[in-house]
Amino acid sequence: MRRDPSEIIPRDYDEGVYRNEWRWQEGDLTVTRSAQYTAPGCHDSCSLLYYTDADGNLVDVEGDPRSSYNSGRLCMRCLNMLETVNHPERLGHPMKRVGERGEDKWEQITWDEAYDIIVENVHDVWENYGPQSIVGMQGTGRNVVWQVPMLTFMGFGSPNMSGGFLSGDACYLPRIIGCALYGGGLWVVDAAQFHEKRYLDENWTKPELVLVWGNNPVASNADGFYGHWIVDLMRMGTRLITIDPRMTWLAVRSEQWLAIRPGTDAALALAMINVAVEEDLYDHEFVEKWTFGFDELKARAAEYAPEVAAEICYLDTEEIRKAARAFATAKPAAIQWGVSLDQQTHGVQAAAALSHLGAMCGNLDVPGGNVFAISAYNVCDNYSCGQFAVDPELMKKRIGEDSTPLHRGGFAQLAQEDAVLRAIETDEPYPVRMIWMQGTNPIANMGADSPRVYRALKRVPFIVVVDAVKTPTIVACADLVLPCAMSCERNSARAWNWPMRSLVQVTQHEECKSDETIILEVGKRLKPENWPWETDTELITWWIQGGGSPDKPWPQKAGFTWEDLREDVMMWEEEYPYRKYEKGLLRPDGQPGFMTPTGLYEFKSVLFEAWGLDPLPFFCEPPESPVSTPELAREYPYVLTTGMRSFEFFHSEHRNLETMREFHPDPITEISPAVAAANGIEEGDWIWVENMRGRCRQRAHLNPSHPDWLVSSEHGWWFPEREAAEPSLYGVFDSNINNLTPMEQIGPVGLGAPYKCQICRIYKDDGSVPNPTETIIREGGPFNG
Amino acid sequence: MAKELKGLLVDYEFCSGCHACEVACKKSHGLGAGQYGVLVTKFGPFQKPDGRWEMDFVPHFGELCDLCADRVASGRKPSCVHHCQSFAIQYGTVAELAEKIDKTKMALFVPQGQ
Ligand code: SF4
C-alpha cells in the first residue's frame, strides 16, 4: 500500500505547545529549539527542544516536530540525553597528568594554566623542530570538522591535519575524493532533504528504487543522512535492493538481498554496468551529452560478465542480472552507499564503479536520484578550513604528501594517516613532537592495528586531548586533558548538508568549554593576528558566512549571523536546483558541465591517467582473502567483516551509559548456526575472533540468516566500568576488533583500507588465553611484538 | 465501561526495531533498568518455504504504559508516538484507530494502564 507524500510526516502537533519561536517559557521551564551536534557523537543533527529549569539544569528533551529534518523523531541516543549530559563520569575541569602515562593520576588545573602549558610546548616545537612537528587529529561525527583544521593551520601553523590513524582515510574520503575527481562532486540520495517542504515539494519525485549498498542506514545515520528517511520513501512505495553480506532489516524488506562477499563491490558494480550495456538499458542521452570515456568503461565492464562477478562475490548470476535490470529500468533510482565501499584497499575504484552505474543510468542530479551534496550556503565544512593561512611551501611538507600521485597532486584532504603513524615511529620525514586530539579516541576505535597505534602514541612527547569523558586514549597517552561542552552547552551551527541549523547553549557543565571557544582561546594565544574574533559566536558567524571558502556559482554564501540563525532555528534555500550541470552551477567559471578537466562526467578519469594510474574502475582481491592467500585462509577460514552497527552506540562512544548498556551489554560477533556448531559454540558464548595479527573476545550471536562463510564483529568496544589505570586500561584491547586489522595496506591511490574484508578463525573462550589488554601493555603483543 | 478506551495502533511493517519507543517511555516515566512500558519483540529471522526471509519487530505495550496521560493532558502525544522513527505508532480512541486499519501488518494495542 503506497501512502501519499502528504501522509508521511504528521502535522497534527499542537501549535501552542510547539511554538514557532526559538525560545519560550512553559510554566517554570524554558523551552529552547536547537539541534544536536555533539558531544556525544553522531553524524546527524536532529532538531530538538531543550527544557531547562530556573537554575539552568537540563530537565527534558523532545524532538522538534516543526523541523523538516527529523520531524519530531529522535533515536534512542538523543532520547537518553539527560543521562548523557548529567553523567557523573563526565570531565569537568582541565587536568594535567602527574603520574606516568597510564597511571591515571591527574591534577585539576585552571584553563589559564592549561593554555600556558600548551603555549610553552608549541613554542618549544616551533623553535626546535618547526610547526610541522605538531599534528592535529579529530575523530568522526563530532562538531570539530572545521574547528581542528582551523586550529592546526591558523593556530599551530602546521600543515599536518589528520584523523585518528584511520588507515587509508577509509571513511568517506575514498568516496568523496573519488567523486570529486571523476564527477566533480559528491552525491547523496535525494530524499527531499534539501527542500523545506520535503515530500510535498513540487519539484521533487520519490526514487522508484533505492539500491542500499554496504550500509544499514536506519542504525548508522551516516554522513548527515537520517536513515529513517529511507523508511519514509518505502511507505510512499519506493522499492529497495540491498547489497550487504548481512541480512539487515532493510534487506528483509527489499525485493532482492544480495549477500556479497566484503571487498568485492567493484566486481558486482562492474557486472551490473555490463548488464546495463549488454541489454541496452542505460541513458543514451545523458551518456552522449554529458560524459567522457564511456566506450572505455564498456570495454572494462565487458571483462566482468555476471558469471565472473558471481564467482568473485559469492552471488548468483541471475540475481545479479535481475538487480542490474531493476536498477537500470527504475526511473529515477538512487544509490544509498556506505563506508563498506571505503573500507577496502581499492575503495576509490569500488566507489567509482558504483558511481558510474548510477550516472550512466541517468540518475545524476535528477529529482529522486543521486543529487550533488554541497554544504549549506557554501560554508567551509571540511578539513581545509583555514588552510589558506599556511605557506604553500610548508603545505608541501605535509606528512605523506609524496606517498601517492593524488597526494602529490594536492588532492588529499589530510596528512596521510598511515604515513603519520610511520613518522611517529621512525621520525621520518621528521619527528612528531606534539599531537592535538579533539574528539577522537583512536586506540578504542578508528586506528587500525590498535596495539601498534598505542605503542606509537607513547613515543610522542606531548599530547593534548579534548573530550567529554575520560577515554582509554586519555589514560594511556594524554599529558593534558581539556573538557569539552556537550551539544546543549555550546553555541554553534550545523550545515552538512542542508539546512543550516543553530545550536544554542542552554546549560553549563562545570568548567567545560565549547570546541569553538577552545580553538579561539588557544589560537589567540599563539597567533593573535589570525584570530580577530572576540567571542565564540563571532567566530561562528564568520564560518556561517563562508569560513573562507572560495565562491561558487551555487550555493550562495549566507549574509545572516549566528544570532539571526538562532532566531530562525534553521535556514533553507528558496529552491534547491536540480540538473546543475545544465545550468552552469557546478563550475567556478559558470559554464555548463561538471567540475572535471573535461567538463564532463568522466567514466575514465583524465587525472588518474595523467598520474599513471588505471583511469577506469577495476576489481582487486582484498590483500588477504580465501582467493588471494589460500594458504592463510586454511588457517583462517572465515571472511571477517568489522564495524557492525547498532542503535545504541556511536563508534566508541556511549559505552559509559547505563541505559545503552542495558540494551546492549556486550560486544557481539554474529555467526551462522552452522558455523557455531562446527566450532562448538552456543548462543551467548564468549568467543575469540583471531587472525595473523591478533585476537579479541566478543559474545557469539547465532543468526540463521548469516552466511556460513562470514563472521561479523562489532567495533569500538571498551569498558568504562573497569579500572582505568594500566594494565587494565578499561579493557580497551580485550574486545577490540582492530587488534586484527592492519595499517599500511592501502592501494596506489592511498585511499581505502581493508577494515571490512579480513579473514579470521573463531573458537570458544575456555579461559586459557590471556587477557589481550594486559599482554599488549606488558609485553607489547599480541603477535607482532 | 465509563470512559472510552484509548489505544496505540502499530504499523509493524515499518517498525525497524530501533528502540526509540522503549527509551522514550523509560525516560518519560522514570523507569529503572529492566522496567519497560513498551518492549520491542523480534519475530524471526527465519526462512519461509518459498526461500524468502521473514523478520519483523513489534512493540509490545505492557502494564506500565499509561498512554502518557500527563503528556496527553498537556497537549502532547505519547512520547513513543511522537518519537517513533518510522512514524509507525498512532494514538487515539480504539474506534478511531480501528478505522485507520487499512492494510496488513498492523496491530491495535489497548494498554491496561489507562
Ligand atoms: S540520529 Fe539520533 S543521536 Fe543523531 S542527532 Fe538524530 S536523534 Fe540524535
Side-chain angles (χ1 to χ4, degrees):
Chain A
M1 153 139 218
R2 291 175 168 225
R3 300 275 176 207
D4 187 79
S6 64
E7 293 177 89
I8 303 303
I9 296 172
R11 314 234 175 226
D12 57 344
Y13 56 84
D14 185 325
E15 308 229 349
V17 176
Y18 303 103
R19 298 201 211 163
N20 193 15
E21 297 162 37
W22 75 272
R23 174 171 277 176
W24 64 90
Q25 206 63 28
E26 184 180 322
D28 297 339
L29 302 180
T30 304
V31 190
T32 310
R33 294 174 71 199
S34 187
Q36 133 70 17
Y37 193 29
T38 87
C42 180
H43 281 299
D44 287 1
S45 292
C46 292
S47 309
L48 35 69
L49 304 166
Y50 290 127
Y51 293 82
T52 42
D53 66 15
D55 299 325
N57 299 311
L58 181 68
V59 296
D60 204 359
V61 294
E62 232 186 333
D64 183 354
R66 283 187 183 272
S67 165
S68 294
Y69 186 84
N70 52 313
S71 313
R73 306 175 259 197
L74 290 179
C75 82
M76 69 192 298
R77 300 198 305 270
C78 266
L79 286 164
N80 195 36
M81 195 56 80
L82 255 55
E83 184 181 318
T84 313
V85 169
N86 300 324
H87 201 275
E89 276 160 27
R90 277 197 59 189
L91 296 170
H93 307 277
M95 299 189 305
K96 174 172 96 172
R97 176 172 63 77
V98 285
E100 291 300 311
R101 280 185 176 171
E103 284 187 350
D104 191 36
K105 292 191 181 138
W106 307 92
E107 179 188 313
Q108 182 180 326
I109 55 173
T110 65
W111 278 98
D112 277 330
E113 286 169 320
Y115 290 144
D116 286 346
I117 295 171
I118 294 164
V119 170
E120 190 186 319
N121 277 277
V122 170
H123 279 273
D124 178 66
V125 180
W126 279 352
E127 277 143 38
N128 295 307
Y129 299 89
Q132 67 278 7
S133 284
I134 303 173
V135 177
M137 290 188 177
Q138 62 169 269
T140 187
R142 283 286 188 91
N143 184 2
V144 294
V145 170
W146 56 273
Q147 293 89 333
V148 186
M150 190 172 176
L151 178 63
T152 304
F153 298 133
M154 296 174 69
F156 303 139
S158 169
N160 286 312
M161 175 58 217
S162 186
F165 304 98
L166 180 70
S167 181
D169 297 331
C171 177
Y172 221 9
L173 281 183
R175 282 174 290 159
I176 291 177
I177 295 180
C179 280
L181 293 173
Y182 45 76
L186 180 76
W187 46 257
V188 297
V189 174
D190 181 16
Q193 67 269 43
F194 298 96
H195 307 294
E196 186 169 10
K197 287 195 270 177
R198 295 299 302 264
Y199 310 125
L200 298 179
D201 191 281
E202 48 284 357
N203 294 324
W204 183 76
T205 348
K206 72 167 195 300
E208 279 306 315
L209 186 142
V210 174
L211 186 57
V212 181
W213 194 305
N215 65 135
N216 184 17
V218 294
S220 60
N221 293 305
D223 313 319
F225 190 92
Y226 182 74
H228 279 76
W229 291 337
I230 298 279
V231 181
D232 296 350
L233 300 179
M234 289 159 69
R235 294 176 67 212
M236 286 180 266
T238 295
R239 296 142 52 211
L240 305 183
I241 292 177
T242 297
I243 314 295
D244 199 309
R246 292 183 59 244
M247 190 184 75
T248 58
W249 178 81
L250 288 176
V252 183
R253 276 146 179 79
S254 298
E255 61 185 35
Q256 279 182 270
W257 163 45
L258 274 63
I260 188 172
R261 173 162 69 98
T264 67
D265 308 79
L268 177 59
L270 282 160
M272 290 173 75
I273 293 172
N274 176 302
V275 175
V277 169
E278 288 295 309
E279 303 188 10
D280 197 16
L281 302 175
Y282 61 92
D283 185 327
H284 285 261
E285 195 189 327
F286 178 80
V287 166
E288 271 149 39
K289 206 161 167 198
W290 296 107
T291 70
F292 172 80
F294 189 58
D295 287 339
E296 288 92 333
L297 177 68
K298 276 201 308 207
R300 176 58 56 86
E303 299 168 27
Y304 295 87
E307 294 75 13
V308 174
E311 193 174 328
I312 295 171
C313 307
Y314 295 180
L315 293 172
D316 179 79
T317 306
E318 270 322 298
E319 289 285 315
I320 296 176
R321 280 191 211 284
K322 207 169 127 193
R325 284 180 200 131
F327 178 78
T329 54
K331 299 282 175 228
I335 299 165
Q336 165 62 31
W337 61 1
V339 75
S340 311
L341 275 303
D342 310 317
Q343 300 207 325
Q344 48 191 302
T345 298
H346 292 79
V348 175
Q349 289 79 1
L354 190 48
S355 182
H356 293 354
L357 173 68
M360 70 186 268
C361 293
N363 297 307
L364 209 50
D365 222 28
V366 302
N370 282 128
V371 292
F372 283 110
I374 298 182
S375 280
Y377 303 98
N378 188 17
V379 292
C380 190
D381 197 6
N382 60 46
Y383 308 133
S384 66
C385 190
Q387 194 173 307
F388 53 81
V390 181
D391 186 303
E393 283 308 304
L394 186 57
M395 241 13 254
K396 284 190 196 143
K397 285 197 187 172
R398 183 158 68 169
I399 298 172
E401 208 62 358
D402 54 358
S403 60
T404 75
L406 182 140
H407 286 79
R408 281 192 289 278
F411 283 87
Q413 288 204 2
L414 295 169
Q416 211 289 326
E417 300 188 48
D418 303 82
V420 171
L421 177 65
R422 193 154 277 274
I424 295 171
E425 291 171 335
T426 62
D427 292 344
E428 294 294 337
Y430 44 79
V432 173
R433 301 293 298 181
M434 170 178 163
I435 297 182
W436 173 276
M437 292 188 192
Q438 199 160 348
T440 186
N441 179 10
I443 63 172
N445 183 47
M446 192 181 265
D449 198 345
S450 38
R452 181 175 166 192
V453 170
Y454 164 83
R455 285 191 296 275
L457 284 173
K458 294 275 190 188
R459 280 183 60 97
V460 179
F462 183 59
I463 297 181
V464 185
V465 181
V466 186
D467 217 323
V469 296
K470 208 198 302 164
T471 61
T473 302
I474 287 178
V475 174
C477 323
D479 302 295
L480 188 65
V481 179
L482 305 178
C484 73
M486 285 198 166
S487 191
C488 56
E489 298 151 5
R490 70 192 291 186
N491 296 319
S492 190
R494 178 77 203 265
W496 180 265
N497 303 120
W498 293 84
M500 185 78 87
R501 284 148 278 177
S502 63
L503 272 69
V504 183
Q505 178 175 11
V506 299
T507 184
Q508 172 71 35
H509 178 75
E510 308 278 2
E511 289 186 279
C512 291
K513 292 185 190 243
S514 75
D515 292 292
E516 290 84 4
T517 306
I518 294 170
I519 63 157
L520 181 59
E521 291 179 350
V522 173
K524 270 184 174 305
R525 281 168 171 81
L526 292 169
K527 287 186 185 274
E529 66 282 12
N530 286 345
W531 302 81
W533 310 278
E534 288 306 321
T535 61
D536 59 343
T537 50
E538 279 181 26
L539 169 62
I540 295 156
T541 291
W542 169 80
W543 180 76
I544 287 172
Q545 297 181 350
S549 70
D551 286 330
K552 295 180 183 134
W554 174 84
Q556 295 293 310
K557 285 184 183 162
F560 53 82
T561 63
W562 177 80
E563 286 78 6
D564 299 331
L565 176 65
R566 179 180 62 180
E567 195 74 32
D568 284 15
V569 185
M570 38 182 57
M571 298 273 207
W572 303 79
E573 265 191 321
E574 287 280 301
E575 192 184 314
Y576 172 82
Y578 287 107
R579 294 192 172 85
K580 291 178 273 295
Y581 49 88
E582 289 179 356
K583 300 173 182 151
L585 295 177
L586 296 177
R587 298 178 56 86
D589 59 13
Q591 291 303 306
F594 295 83
M595 184 48 202
T596 58
T598 58
L600 299 167
Y601 181 94
E602 297 181 359
F603 293 121
K604 175 184 153 184
S605 166
V606 168
L607 283 167
F608 274 58
E609 191 155 53
W611 293 331
L613 297 167
D614 189 332
L616 293 160
F618 60 90
F619 165 69
C620 183
E621 267 292 327
E624 293 140 356
S625 82
V627 180
S628 57
T629 53
E631 309 254 291
L632 262 185
R634 266 194 285 281
E635 269 185 77
Y636 305 104
Y638 302 111
V639 174
L640 168 67
T641 188
T642 73
M644 182 166 64
R645 298 295 193 266
S646 62
F647 292 104
E648 291 85 357
F649 309 118
F650 182 75
H651 295 297
S652 63
E653 298 196 53
H654 298 94
R655 297 299 188 299
N656 60 328
L657 304 174
E658 292 76 8
T659 303
M660 296 298 121
R661 295 295 290 283
E662 179 188 340
F663 284 91
H664 197 144
D666 302 311
I668 298 292
T669 285
E670 278 195 9
I671 51 177
S672 76
V675 168
N679 292 278
I681 293 165
E682 285 174 31
E683 174 69 32
D685 281 348
W686 284 98
I687 60 170
W688 292 104
V689 182
E690 176 176 294
N691 72 4
M692 316 66 79
R693 281 173 284 274
R695 66 171 81 88
C696 76
R697 191 172 166 267
Q698 301 203 350
R699 252 186 142 132
H701 172 57
L702 276 49
N703 178 348
S705 66
H706 208 258
D708 288 334
W709 42 264
L710 184 71
V711 171
S712 306
S713 295
E714 291 181 345
H715 71 306
W717 274 92
W718 56 291
F719 303 90
E721 65 273 22
R722 297 193 200 158
E723 169 66 35
E726 293 182 355
S728 166
L729 198 58
Y730 298 123
V732 66
F733 300 115
D734 288 357
S735 297
N736 193 333
I737 200 65
N738 283 326
N739 295 346
L740 286 78
T741 57
M743 292 292 292
E744 298 190 287
Q745 282 192 7
I746 52 175
V749 187
L751 295 168
Y755 284 86
K756 280 188 185 287
C757 36
Q758 291 294 307
I759 52 176
C760 73
R761 65 178 163 221
I762 53 170
Y763 52 96
K764 195 167 158 168
D765 177 20
D766 61 4
S768 66
V769 177
N771 169 340
T773 305
E774 237 184 281
T775 315
I776 289 163
I777 289 172
R778 287 198 200 283
E779 293 160 32
F783 304 144
N784 51 359
Chain B
M1 259 188 293
K3 71 173 194 222
E4 208 176 350
L5 283 171
K6 300 272 174 40
L8 295 164
L9 177 61
V10 174
D11 184 345
Y12 63 89
E13 182 182 354
F14 295 110
C15 170
S16 64
C18 77
H19 306 294
C21 57
E22 296 165 295
V23 177
C25 179
K26 282 172 82 80
K27 298 299 150 185
S28 59
H29 290 74
L31 300 179
Q35 300 173 335
Y36 308 92
V38 53
L39 196 59
V40 174
T41 56
K42 190 177 184 185
F43 184 84
F46 62 86
Q47 206 164 13
K48 294 178 286 187
D50 68 358
R52 288 194 58 91
W53 287 86
E54 181 160 352
M55 181 175 76
D56 283 334
F57 295 101
V58 186
H60 180 106
F61 296 87
E63 295 177 14
L64 292 175
C65 168
D66 64 349
L67 289 153
C68 285
D70 293 348
R71 284 180 56 92
V72 170
S74 74
R76 293 171 165 82
K77 296 180 187 175
S79 191
C80 61
V81 174
H82 182 115
H83 292 112
C84 172
Q85 294 200 92
S86 292
F87 300 127
I89 314 174
Q90 296 183 69
Y91 167 78
T93 67
V94 169
E96 281 163 1
L97 295 175
E99 288 274 298
K100 291 187 177 173
I101 301 179
D102 56 358
K103 59 182 271 301
T104 56
K105 289 205 175 182
M106 296 181 94
L108 179 51
F109 286 85
V110 189
Q112 193 182 335
Q114 61 188 306

